[in-house]
Amino acid sequence: MLFNSLHFCEFFLAVTCLYYLLPRRHQWKMLLFASCYFYMAFIPIYILILLTLIIVDYSMAILIASAQGRTRRLFLLISIVSTCLVLFSFKYFNFFVTTGSFIGRALGLSFTPHYLNLILPIGLSFHTFQSLSYVIEVYRGNQEPERNFGIYSLYVMFYPQLVAGPIERPQNLIHQFHEVHRFDSERVLSGLSIMAWGFFQKMVIADRAAIYVNRVYGNWSHSSGLELLVATVLFSVQIYADFAGYSSIAIGAAKVMGFNLMTNFNHPYFASSIGEFWRRWHISLSTWFKDYVFIPLGGSRSTALRTSLNLLITFTISGLWHGANWTFVIWGAYNGLLLVLEKFAAPWYMQSGYIWTICRRCITLILMMIGWIFFRSQSVGQAIGIIHTIATGLSLSLGSIESAVLIAADGSIALSVLSSTLLLIIFMFVIEAQQEIRSSTVPNQLLLSRNWSTACVVLLFPMIMLFGVLRSSAFIYFQF
Amino acid sequence: MIKISKAIFMALVLLWIIAFSKFELEHHLASTSSGLQGELKTPSVAVLLLGSSHMRQSIDVAQLQSEIGRDAFVVSYNGLDSAAMELLLNEIIARSSELPKLLVLDGYCELYSHPPDIEDDRLFFDAPPSMKMALLRSYSQEAGGWRAWPDLWELTVNRGSDTILAWPFVHTTLDRLSYRGGYHGKIVVGSDPELFSSYQLSLTATAVDPQQMTALHRIIQTARRHGVGVLMVDAPMPEPVEREIVVQKLRNQLIDAARQNGVFFYDGTSGFPNSDPSMFGDSNHLSTAGRALYTHRFAQLLNEHESDFGLDRGQFQ
């Protein structure tokens, strides 16, 4: 069930109404049932995998809390290994077999690789990380183990953030399932306005950009440098609008029912450094890696060289988290390397001043776009080919501009589609810039004020109907 | 609760106002140098060419006018079938102060091989409200009641919004790039020989759709009733496409239909170097070189049969 489908609208309306109509003691049960239904709308049988993971982590957390010394560590290890094993089997097994067979062939060894023919359960990377976060926090003593199996299941399965985050921390979410959420029209309205903004980002910006991007990247070897450049810029917009849009819908949907989910995006394209970008992009994942990988590795408390290595390791793993492909590994390592270089260049690069900040913003944006080429490409060869074509085959002749425009749509409407897409992208960033200028630390703050909430719902709904791509298409991050 | 209901109500009202205004007024923003509105704004049109992109890419309007010494206009929309051609002709007849002398209909077989549909959103955008209603009625009958509603919603509310949003820029650019419905300065290079040999239309239908056939008969009758001569043409197609049995079958049916109505069907492929890849941009569109050659041959036909096609009547500019 996609958020941008009629099916979800009906589901959301029914669940929200039932949620407020039911007595308090039954509310979480209904939410759990709704979340199961939501998950099973994709591949029903996979609920059993999720259930197994829930049972393991639920039991291990209780055992960790009651155990002492090394036994605690053992239970933590059992939980982490079993969770990672599921992730590995479904997501990484074939990748490592392929890589192993490639290395084997290079070394002159011959063996027949065996692959697992499994469909990746939706949102597996997200809910496994959320489960790991819970067990680790219980181990660290920051979170009491949840004794109510239903509530813990709901923590893992809460439908707004089940398939693509935000990856919640138990300290932020679990206690909310025990609280009473009474109907509050202002909160509901602000939740709806955040959802409307998310739908706008997804259906009007991301899905429009996707048409162009898919056409060019799907036929990249026959595309010109200009077409690839336009597609890469549009993909940078698409991936942001797609994922930030999803997060907004998730945060808004939860807010309608009285739950506060963590912020996931804070206008990342306004960042003036790579470090700042990663503090603004997919915040729930970045902080997850910081808390559970980077800091345990030693963080930045050690030598500069060790810190750099820690950064590289963390970002490479983060790249691999996104997908079992070398393109993602390189993308992660590339970002890690940029951060390391930025840290070394900080004394002269991170100077203040208006012009210098704008220059750094542009540099950051360009560097991120180069990284997105690896993220979007099917193979490393394709990514290198695309970069090569952009660097060497960029022509601004009338003919190449015309053919670049004609990719946007069939026939004479191509110019309208492309120019209006650009106008709508500008509109989105103007709204974001307004929030950025207000020095908002809370994204969507604009949408949280009372008048703006109403205005957003009133204005964005017609905009989505007028300019949105009304045929549902999946969110990019669902595949992870 | 009242606040939420109010916001939702206001959103719905706003959407309704915008959609209604769009339905009633968007044709005023249509191109003035192409399409239906372009034709209606052009004072004297002796030769009206009506068809799809197959027709548009095959005729150089400026060249045709200079060779035949008459004013011409191409009203074309991608995939324009005969059901939609009929609606367009009715609109032109109802709204033009001076009717064309000759109506040239696109005889491209693909257009007649399927039930009526709207391939090009511009057709709906350019249509005045009465024609829009006719298009919606025709589509909802074809698609079958409630199942058609999402498509109709998309067509009326969603499509064309881009053109309105980017109107000043798009309008200026498109008007510069088109001349009397045809392309102005557009260069279409010839095909790659290897690609050329693989060209196919891959049509599934083996007979002309009955609704399209009925619409064709009605178009001819309507034109005759208003004293407008009718000619059917099919622009040249690449040799590999011409070899397709289905293409030949469908074209023969159209030739028969034209003959029954006393209309001449001009098969542009005959005598055209259609095995030369440089003459074609793709499987069913001519290149710039092909367009120049075909326009010349078509102009010759009109000049030779001036009186047969009714072009010798009245005053021409």
Side-chain angles (χ1 to χ4, degrees):
Chain A
M1 192 191 312
L2 299 170
F3 275 179
N4 52 328
S5 66
L6 205 58
H7 189 186
F8 176 75
C9 292
E10 293 160 359
F11 169 83
F12 174 73
L13 196 68
V15 169
T16 309
C17 291
L18 272 174
Y19 182 76
Y20 284 116
L21 289 172
L22 281 172
R24 197 209 128 199
R25 66 181 185 282
H26 296 306
Q27 282 183 333
W28 70 264
K29 293 173 196 162
M30 195 281 299
L31 269 185
L32 180 61
F33 176 77
S35 299
C36 288
Y37 174 82
F38 182 82
Y39 188 81
M40 289 169 76
F42 296 101
I43 300 175
I45 194 74
Y46 277 2
I47 191 96
L48 296 176
I49 300 166
L50 191 55
L51 188 65
T52 312
L53 277 176
I54 289 170
I55 292 170
V56 170
D57 292 330
Y58 168 79
S59 337
M60 288 304 128
I62 291 173
L63 289 171
I64 287 168
S66 58
Q68 297 289 325
R70 280 185 157 188
T71 328
R72 293 181 82 235
R73 211 179 170 82
L74 179 70
F75 290 137
L76 174 70
L77 212 64
I78 292 171
S79 173
I80 292 175
V81 168
S82 52
T83 305
C84 291
L85 197 66
V86 174
L87 192 59
F88 178 83
S89 313
F90 279 94
K91 195 167 173 177
Y92 300 107
F93 183 81
N94 290 350
F95 169 69
F96 282 107
V97 167
T98 310
T99 308
S101 104
F102 177 78
I103 294 168
R105 271 202 310 274
L107 295 172
L109 305 168
S110 86
F111 67 95
T112 319
H114 294 281
Y115 295 102
L116 291 177
N117 191 18
L118 297 170
I119 299 170
L120 185 67
I122 200 127
L124 181 69
S125 307
F126 288 91
H127 60 72
T128 49
F129 268 41
Q130 187 153 314
S131 304
L132 285 174
S133 167
Y134 167 74
V135 183
I136 296 169
E137 290 302 326
V138 170
Y139 177 80
R140 287 178 175 175
N142 297 330
Q143 171 70 35
E144 279 295 306
E146 176 57 52
R147 306 278 165 181
N148 185 329
F149 181 72
I151 294 281
Y152 173 69
S153 305
L154 189 54
Y155 161 73
V156 179
M157 296 183 71
F158 186 42
Y159 84 83
Q161 40 92 246
L162 172 62
V163 288
I167 302 167
E168 273 299 339
R169 301 305 152 79
Q171 298 95 314
N172 180 44
L173 190 58
I174 289 183
H175 70 91
Q176 294 189 55
F177 294 122
H178 292 284
E179 291 163 4
V180 184
H181 299 122
R182 292 203 171 81
F183 184 84
D184 173 352
S185 63
E186 269 180 30
R187 193 194 60 231
V188 170
L189 200 56
S190 85
L192 287 177
S193 67
I194 294 171
M195 284 179 85
W197 182 247
F199 281 118
F200 173 81
Q201 286 185 304
K202 167 65 180 163
M203 294 167 75
V204 179
I205 306 294
D207 286 353
R208 278 170 158 267
I211 296 168
Y212 195 96
V213 175
N214 293 344
R215 284 183 180 187
V216 175
Y217 269 74
N219 189 27
W220 71 274
S221 55
H222 292 100
S223 300
S224 69
L226 182 64
E227 288 159 15
L228 287 165
L229 179 67
V230 174
T232 301
V233 172
L234 285 178
F235 179 67
S236 309
V237 176
Q238 183 202 344
I239 187 141
Y240 168 64
D242 189 281
F243 196 22
Y246 172 87
S247 297
S248 292
I249 299 170
I251 292 167
K255 195 171 186 65
V256 166
M257 290 181 290
F259 297 92
N260 288 314
L261 298 184
M262 72 184 290
T263 301
N264 220 13
F265 288 87
N266 186 10
H267 322 130
Y269 287 141
F270 291 100
S272 57
S273 69
I274 303 293
E276 192 188 345
F277 179 88
W278 283 107
R279 286 193 294 277
R280 289 163 172 254
W281 178 279
H282 201 175
I283 299 165
S284 65
L285 183 74
S286 306
T287 50
W288 195 99
F289 272 104
K290 191 184 97 189
D291 292 346
Y292 305 124
V293 180
F294 182 67
I295 291 174
L297 280 172
S300 52
R301 286 164 302 183
S302 190
T303 60
L305 202 67
R306 179 67 209 186
T307 305
S308 305
L309 188 66
N310 292 343
L311 273 173
L312 273 173
I313 293 170
T314 307
F315 271 86
T316 308
I317 297 172
S318 154
L320 193 61
W321 176 88
H322 282 83
N325 193 325
W326 282 105
T327 51
F328 292 113
V329 177
I330 291 174
W331 172 75
Y334 167 80
N335 278 291
L337 192 67
L338 288 181
L339 265 176
V340 170
L341 292 174
E342 194 174 80
K343 280 206 180 296
F344 280 113
W348 65 269
Y349 182 65
M350 302 299 277
Q351 291 172 46
S352 54
Y354 186 70
I355 302 289
W356 189 236
T357 308
I358 292 200
C359 286
R360 275 195 285 121
R361 276 191 176 145
C362 295
I363 293 168
T364 306
L365 197 59
I366 292 166
L367 290 173
M368 292 322 297
M369 282 179 185
I370 295 170
W372 291 132
I373 295 176
F374 282 93
F375 196 93
R376 179 62 179 77
S377 297
Q378 302 294 319
S379 67
V380 178
Q382 180 184 340
I384 292 168
I386 288 170
I387 292 170
H388 181 259
T389 312
I390 293 174
T392 59
L394 199 60
S395 157
L396 291 174
S397 67
L398 202 63
S400 54
I401 292 173
E402 189 193 355
S403 73
V405 168
L406 283 172
I407 290 171
D410 300 321
S412 59
I413 58 164
L415 187 63
S416 317
V417 171
L418 191 61
S419 42
S420 59
T421 301
L422 294 178
L423 282 173
L424 291 162
I425 289 171
I426 291 169
F427 171 78
M428 179 182 80
F429 282 117
V430 165
I431 296 284
E432 297 217 339
Q434 201 182 349
Q435 295 181 58
E436 182 69 19
I437 290 162
R438 285 180 171 196
S439 302
S440 158
T441 49
V442 183
N444 299 325
Q445 194 173 47
L446 194 69
L447 309 177
L448 298 178
S449 66
R450 191 190 306 169
N451 292 337
W452 272 101
S453 295
T454 312
C456 272
V457 173
V458 172
L459 295 174
L460 288 175
F461 175 68
M463 277 188 89
I464 293 163
M465 287 297 139
L466 288 166
F467 300 107
V469 176
L470 301 181
R471 316 275 166 176
S472 303
S473 64
F475 289 82
I476 294 176
Y477 265 68
F478 272 23
Q479 63 185 296
F480 307 136
Chain B
M1 196 65 192
I2 293 169
K3 273 183 198 163
I4 299 165
S5 312
K6 231 192 232 176
I8 293 170
F9 177 74
M10 278 159 68
L12 289 172
V13 168
L14 183 63
L15 178 63
W16 188 85
I17 291 170
I18 295 171
F20 181 76
S21 314
K22 205 167 152 279
F23 190 88
E24 290 290 320
L25 304 170
E26 68 185 355
H27 65 282
H28 292 299
L29 300 179
S31 167
T32 50
S33 63
S34 63
L36 173 65
Q37 297 302 327
E39 201 278 345
L40 293 175
K41 286 185 177 83
T42 306
S44 78
V45 174
V47 179
L48 172 65
L49 299 105
L50 197 54
S52 64
S53 61
H54 185 67
M55 164 86 83
R56 180 171 63 242
Q57 293 224 157
S58 66
I59 294 290
D60 183 326
V61 183
Q63 184 190 340
L64 181 73
Q65 289 190 137
S66 92
E67 290 196 28
I68 63 171
R70 313 273 189 273
D71 289 329
F73 199 101
V74 182
V75 176
S76 70
Y77 295 94
N78 296 341
L80 187 77
D81 54 27
S82 61
M85 282 186 216
E86 186 190 2
L87 293 174
L88 279 170
L89 180 67
N90 291 340
E91 207 59 42
I92 290 167
I93 287 172
R95 289 170 194 264
S96 301
S97 52
E98 195 182 342
L99 293 182
K101 305 292 174 244
L102 177 66
L103 171 67
V104 181
L105 290 174
D106 195 346
Y108 175 41
C109 58
E110 195 276 337
L111 308 172
Y112 300 84
S113 66
H114 55 77
D117 69 358
I118 303 168
E119 194 183 298
D120 191 340
D121 302 339
R122 282 191 314 132
L123 174 65
F124 195 79
F125 187 90
D126 290 2
S130 57
M131 188 177 153
K132 277 193 172 86
M133 284 307 292
L135 283 167
L136 292 179
R137 262 197 305 273
S138 151
Y139 185 78
S140 61
Q141 277 166 12
E142 184 54 41
W146 285 103
R147 275 178 301 164
W149 274 92
D151 287 342
L152 296 182
W153 170 266
E154 200 172 329
L155 193 62
T156 43
V157 178
N158 188 262
R159 300 297 171 93
S161 305
D162 292 314
T163 311
I164 296 171
L165 185 66
W167 179 72
F169 171 64
V170 171
H171 187 77
T172 321
T173 312
L174 284 186
D175 278 0
R176 272 192 202 157
L177 293 173
S178 51
Y179 173 71
R180 286 177 168 259
Y183 289 118
H184 179 60
K186 183 184 166 86
I187 305 291
V188 181
V189 293
S191 299
D192 171 66
E194 206 174 305
L195 196 66
F196 180 82
S197 58
S198 66
Y199 282 157
Q200 271 197 324
L201 285 190
S202 307
L203 300 175
T204 47
T206 51
V208 170
D209 179 77
Q211 291 183 70
Q212 302 286 9
M213 189 62 98
T214 311
L216 177 64
H217 290 308
R218 281 201 301 253
I219 290 171
I220 295 168
Q221 286 161 13
T222 307
R224 289 255 170 77
R225 221 176 24 251
H226 289 86
V228 179
V230 183
L231 167 65
M232 266 186 100
V233 298
D234 188 8
M237 290 211 275
E239 198 258 334
V241 173
E242 278 297 322
R243 275 205 311 265
E244 287 183 66
I245 304 290
V246 179
V247 171
Q248 292 169 16
K249 256 187 182 174
L250 288 169
R251 186 184 295 124
N252 287 337
Q253 285 179 42
L254 289 173
I255 291 172
D256 286 345
R259 195 180 295 136
Q260 281 167 22
N261 284 285
V263 167
F264 180 64
F265 188 103
Y266 175 56
D267 179 3
T269 306
S270 127
F272 190 86
N274 71 333
S275 52
D276 179 357
S278 70
M279 292 286 131
F280 297 91
D282 58 40
S283 64
N284 62 338
H285 297 114
L286 292 171
S287 65
T288 303
R291 184 164 64 206
L293 178 60
Y294 174 68
T295 304
H296 174 66
R297 289 162 57 88
F298 182 60
Q300 266 185 334
L301 174 88
L302 294 186
N303 287 332
E304 282 167 17
H305 299 274
E306 198 178 64
S307 57
D308 297 338
F309 296 142
L311 283 175
D312 56 343
R313 287 181 276 118
Q315 294 295 309
F316 300 113
Q317 291 178 353

